[in-house]
Amino acid sequence: MRRSLNSRWYFLFVFPLFFIFTTVVLVPFCLGIGYSFVTWDGLPLNPKTITGINNYISLINDERFLSSAIHTLKFTLLTIITINILALIFALFVTGNINTRVRNAARTMLFMPYLIGGLILGYIWKFILGDAFKSIGETTGLTSVFFNWLLDPDFAVLAMVVVTTWQMAGYVMIIYITGIQTIPEEVIEAAEVDGAGFWIKLFKIKFPLIMQSFTVCLFLTMSNCFKIFDVNLSLTGGGPYNSSEMFALNIYNEIFSLNNYGYGQAKALFFFIAVACFTLAQVVFTKKREVEMQ
Amino acid sequence: MKEQVSLAPNKRPRSAGNHRSRKRRPRRTLKRRIKRFKRRFKAKFASITSGGPVASIKKGVTYTILLTVCVLYLFPIYIVFTNSFKNRSELYESIVSLPGSFSLEYYITAMEKMVFLSALKNSLFVTLGSIVFIVALSSMTAWMLVRRTGKLSDSIFMIFVATMLIPFQTLMMPLMQEMGWIKNALRLPMTDTIGGLIYMYIGFGASLAVFLYHGFIKSIPKSLEEAAAIDGCTTFGIFWRIVFPILKPTTMTVIILDVIWIWNDYLLPSLTLTSKINRTIPLSTASFFGQFTIQWNLAMAGLTLTIIPVIIFYLCAQKYIIKGVAAGAVK
């Protein structure tokens, strides 16, 4: 009696969420694996032809997909570096020996862009890096820097880096701040007494002790950059000539613009495997290097 | 004696803001005094090693750099804001200058074209509805998964955690097919309805919420719940009256993370909501921007409108937001 009552409660508590979760995440995931072996244009009346692993084979020869992969890797690498450096500098500044009120104000301002969604940020910067830069260039004559960035293939990717950095740096800063604040003051004081300068304190004491924050931040920035979609869609739309089209946007276009549902799904599954491998590898790698506080 | 020591370094030049705040302080408690004494001592110690005036100049430089960085950082938002008031010729004359006249003309047009109030209502409804369900259902599930250990609980938890790796792009197409099928075969209105969107957000938000709650519940001792059970409280009562209030810190984290995510999400609503009346703010911004890319002042007014709710939310719940985001990321 008691046992059956217990399992009834268990069912009542766990089942509703698990049911929703299954229908929204698990079922589409399994369906997606099926769709990836099929050629279909998305119209319900048209036949779905099973083509086996053909979709995956044609991935290798798809130039647009490969170039989007290269863009994504380039973008991710650049952005991880810029975000983490900027965020670390911000965090060191903000946790430095300054007035609490100034500190809080600075933190508030630097964090703000993260809350405004990627789509809106993309539109804001589309104006600044596009028309505003062009008109500044025309009035000041500095046309080597101030021109419409979004029309140049290389600079369009760079524009993505700038906007994403602007969005994420404040967020990553918060994580570094939390890390820096957990360093006990005695450790820093002891180092000062021993005559450690600013750089020695930074590299020999602070950095090893915030190794965990590094793991978290690298993990976060990498997965966020790799999966970037909103900023890509609103800022460059993949253009000019698909030169700034990232993975996620490429998949979206393949499915919903070119109507290659089966092939697009194969790409999406490849994307999932790539994301999973990257993140798992990184977690394993950085977990090894963490310094434990004794 | 103590007073003398703590007064002496007061003559060192400090920033103006600091001075003012010190004067305004009426009484000094002992705790504060000790704290300040410690700080002064450290400052003095530092000034011996690096030279007094140099340290204060250094501090001034730090403040200046920090302020400049912050102002530069928010410059894009300033540009959006000022240009939303300018007329066309003014806008192309100078983009960074302040507007000559303040007219709300573009705001009114933008509000009409974006159907802003309806979009705001939809966004609020979707965000609130999803979060209420995510918090309630996830905390219940996580509690059961922690308290009733066993193979079933472990594997359910593992499934929740493992699926956090799946990017949305992998699920979007099959999800839409499935929802379309449910709509046709079972006559449940899953697509193009706010309710259907909320349902999907619950599914996508479940993993992270369960994960966060699971971690927190593991650290709570069981004794309170056992005492309540002896007193004759039902399982349902135990959870809502005793456990749920203890979970408040995690609940705040979940709420904050989900508000940021759902409020700004574009892709999922763009796939589910097709009719204009159901549009959320990101959707109406996107369609508005698609039409008026050349009329920048109008577009900027639209963007300002969409940013305002976010800023209000940020200023109201700033403390919780920063704490929640930090807590969510570290786990």
Side-chain angles (χ1 to χ4, degrees):
Chain A
M1 169 64 198
R2 176 122 193 106
R3 226 187 125 80
S4 74
L5 201 67
N6 265 344
S7 54
R8 211 179 292 164
W9 279 116
Y10 188 88
F11 182 80
L12 197 71
F13 270 56
V14 175
F15 180 73
L17 187 74
F18 198 69
F19 176 79
I20 298 176
F21 176 74
T22 308
T23 52
V24 173
V25 177
L26 297 182
V27 171
F29 185 71
C30 300
L31 277 178
I33 296 175
Y35 275 118
S36 72
F37 296 109
V38 153
T39 301
W40 183 42
D41 64 357
L43 294 173
L45 291 178
N46 286 358
K48 301 177 178 114
T49 13
I50 296 171
T51 47
I53 58 165
N54 272 358
N55 282 335
Y56 290 95
I57 291 170
S58 41
L59 272 184
I60 305 165
N61 300 321
D62 185 340
E63 255 177 51
R64 189 170 162 189
F65 183 66
L66 291 179
S67 74
S68 88
I70 292 167
H71 297 146
T72 313
L73 291 178
K74 214 161 61 175
F75 164 78
T76 307
L77 204 67
L78 266 175
T79 320
I80 287 177
I81 295 169
T82 53
I83 289 178
N84 281 286
I85 289 177
L86 202 64
L88 201 56
I89 292 173
F90 285 166
L92 288 172
F93 251 125
V94 172
T95 52
N97 184 23
I98 53 168
N99 191 321
T100 332
R101 226 184 284 166
V102 178
R103 172 186 307 177
N104 285 343
R107 204 179 55 176
T108 306
M109 283 157 96
L110 295 174
F111 183 69
M112 182 105 79
Y114 179 69
L115 288 177
I116 305 169
L119 192 86
I120 314 281
L121 288 184
Y123 287 136
I124 294 175
W125 282 89
K126 192 178 181 180
F127 171 65
I128 294 169
L129 294 174
D131 283 14
F133 258 42
K134 201 174 129 202
S135 91
I136 290 173
E138 278 163 8
T139 43
T140 58
L142 297 168
T143 40
S144 55
V145 183
F146 293 108
F147 58 94
N148 193 335
W149 280 30
L150 305 177
L151 295 181
D152 183 288
D154 288 330
F155 277 83
V157 178
L158 209 59
M160 293 277 306
V161 174
V162 169
V163 178
T164 316
T165 308
W166 191 66
Q167 178 190 18
M168 295 273 299
Y171 171 46
V172 177
M173 171 192 78
I174 299 284
I175 305 166
Y176 279 127
I177 290 176
T178 340
I180 292 172
Q181 279 170 346
T182 56
I183 301 176
E185 243 172 82
E186 302 92 66
V187 178
I188 303 282
E189 272 163 27
E192 274 167 5
V193 171
D194 287 346
F198 175 76
W199 295 107
I200 295 197
K201 261 193 294 178
L202 195 63
F203 281 102
K204 300 275 162 157
I205 294 166
K206 284 187 184 168
F207 282 1
L209 288 180
I210 57 167
M211 223 26 197
Q212 204 185 357
S213 310
F214 276 121
T215 319
V216 173
C217 292
L218 288 179
F219 171 75
L220 260 176
T221 39
M222 184 158 90
S223 76
N224 277 355
C225 295
F226 201 70
K227 292 191 276 191
I228 193 103
F229 178 82
D230 287 5
V231 174
N232 202 188
L233 184 76
S234 60
L235 184 69
T236 64
Y241 324 113
N242 303 330
S243 61
S244 65
E245 189 183 61
M246 307 286 160
F247 256 145
L249 188 62
N250 182 278
I251 293 165
Y252 179 83
N253 284 337
E254 190 71 54
I255 297 177
F256 294 111
S257 311
L258 304 175
N259 285 332
N260 294 326
Y261 276 52
Y263 182 45
Q265 189 57 32
K267 280 182 177 180
L269 272 172
F270 179 80
F271 182 55
F272 160 67
I273 293 166
V275 169
C277 288
F278 263 125
T279 41
L280 290 178
Q282 199 194 11
V283 168
V284 171
F285 176 72
T286 18
K287 273 264 150 67
K288 269 188 202 158
R289 307 186 58 189
E290 271 167 30
V291 175
E292 285 287 328
M293 277 297 292
Q294 296 294 318
Chain B
M1 173 61 202
K2 212 176 216 174
E3 198 61 84
Q4 266 182 339
V5 176
S6 67
L7 269 177
N10 209 5
K11 285 168 192 158
R12 278 180 66 248
R14 290 213 169 208
S15 86
N18 219 352
H19 253 302
R20 213 180 299 141
S21 69
R22 188 150 299 134
K23 266 182 196 162
R24 223 182 276 151
R25 209 171 278 155
R27 295 207 81 209
R28 291 164 180 174
T29 60
L30 186 64
K31 220 177 172 183
R32 237 183 230 160
R33 250 189 230 172
I34 293 171
K35 215 175 167 186
R36 274 183 45 222
F37 178 74
K38 270 189 187 165
R39 206 194 302 152
R40 292 282 164 71
F41 181 76
K42 234 193 281 166
K44 207 176 174 188
F45 184 78
S47 68
I48 289 167
T49 48
S50 62
V54 177
S56 67
I57 289 171
K58 239 183 184 173
K59 208 165 209 180
V61 172
T62 314
Y63 279 124
T64 327
I65 294 176
L66 197 61
L67 260 175
T68 325
V69 168
C70 289
V71 169
L72 272 180
Y73 212 67
L74 292 186
F75 200 63
I77 292 174
Y78 161 82
I79 285 186
V80 171
F81 189 64
T82 47
N83 285 310
S84 65
F85 294 106
K86 291 179 192 169
N87 58 36
R88 216 178 157 69
S89 62
E90 236 184 316
L91 198 149
Y92 279 99
E93 233 165 64
S94 168
I95 278 161
V96 289
S97 67
L98 282 167
S101 59
F102 283 94
S103 81
L104 293 175
E105 185 195 332
Y106 302 111
Y107 281 90
I108 294 163
T109 322
M111 261 184 145
E112 268 169 27
K113 290 265 158 51
M114 282 172 78
V115 206
F116 184 74
L117 291 177
S118 132
L120 186 69
K121 195 192 77 198
N122 289 337
S123 267
L124 280 174
F125 200 70
V126 169
T127 313
L128 276 177
S130 312
I131 285 172
V132 167
F133 281 108
I134 290 175
V135 165
L137 295 175
S138 302
S139 56
M140 280 161 68
T141 305
W143 182 61
M144 270 298 168
L145 293 182
V146 175
R147 290 297 181 240
R148 304 280 154 81
T149 44
K151 264 188 189 157
L152 183 65
S153 292
D154 286 351
S155 36
I156 290 178
F157 181 62
M158 277 315 292
I159 292 172
F160 274 122
V161 174
T163 50
M164 288 203 295
L165 280 177
I166 305 175
F168 178 71
Q169 277 78 12
T170 309
L171 302 173
M172 61 184 177
M173 191 274 279
L175 176 70
M176 287 308 119
Q177 300 301 324
E178 189 201 354
M179 290 302 156
W181 178 82
I182 289 177
K183 190 186 181 184
N184 291 333
L186 305 177
R187 305 253 160 246
L188 287 172
M190 295 307 285
T191 54
D192 200 19
T193 53
I194 301 283
L197 185 62
I198 291 176
Y199 183 87
M200 285 179 242
Y201 273 130
I202 300 169
F204 284 117
S207 304
L208 182 67
V210 167
F211 178 67
L212 290 175
Y213 277 121
H214 197 273
F216 189 71
I217 293 168
K218 266 198 292 193
S219 68
I220 307 174
K222 250 182 175 176
S223 47
L224 256 181
E225 297 157 33
E226 279 160 357
I230 291 165
D231 287 348
C233 211
T234 60
T235 312
F236 202 71
I238 293 174
F239 179 75
W240 286 110
R241 295 222 192 112
I242 294 161
V243 180
F244 191 71
I246 304 175
L247 299 179
K248 202 189 149 203
T250 310
T251 305
M252 289 310 291
T253 307
V254 171
I255 291 176
I256 295 296
L257 291 178
D258 286 346
V259 166
I260 298 173
W261 161 53
I262 296 172
W263 185 270
N264 292 322
D265 192 30
Y266 168 75
L267 192 48
L268 180 59
S270 82
L271 295 173
T272 37
L273 305 177
T274 41
S275 45
K276 203 173 175 183
I277 195 118
N278 282 335
R279 276 184 191 152
T280 57
I281 284 187
L283 290 187
S284 74
T285 313
S287 83
F288 174 72
F289 222 82
Q291 293 167 39
F292 298 96
T293 23
I294 303 142
Q295 269 177 282
W296 278 108
N297 38 22
L298 198 55
M300 292 299 129
L303 286 183
T304 312
L305 280 177
T306 61
I307 296 174
I308 287 171
V310 177
I311 291 181
I312 292 173
F313 168 67
Y314 184 38
L315 294 181
C316 291
Q318 196 202 67
K319 205 177 78 190
Y320 295 106
I321 291 175
I322 289 182
K323 233 193 253 166
V325 163
V330 173
K331 281 160 195 159

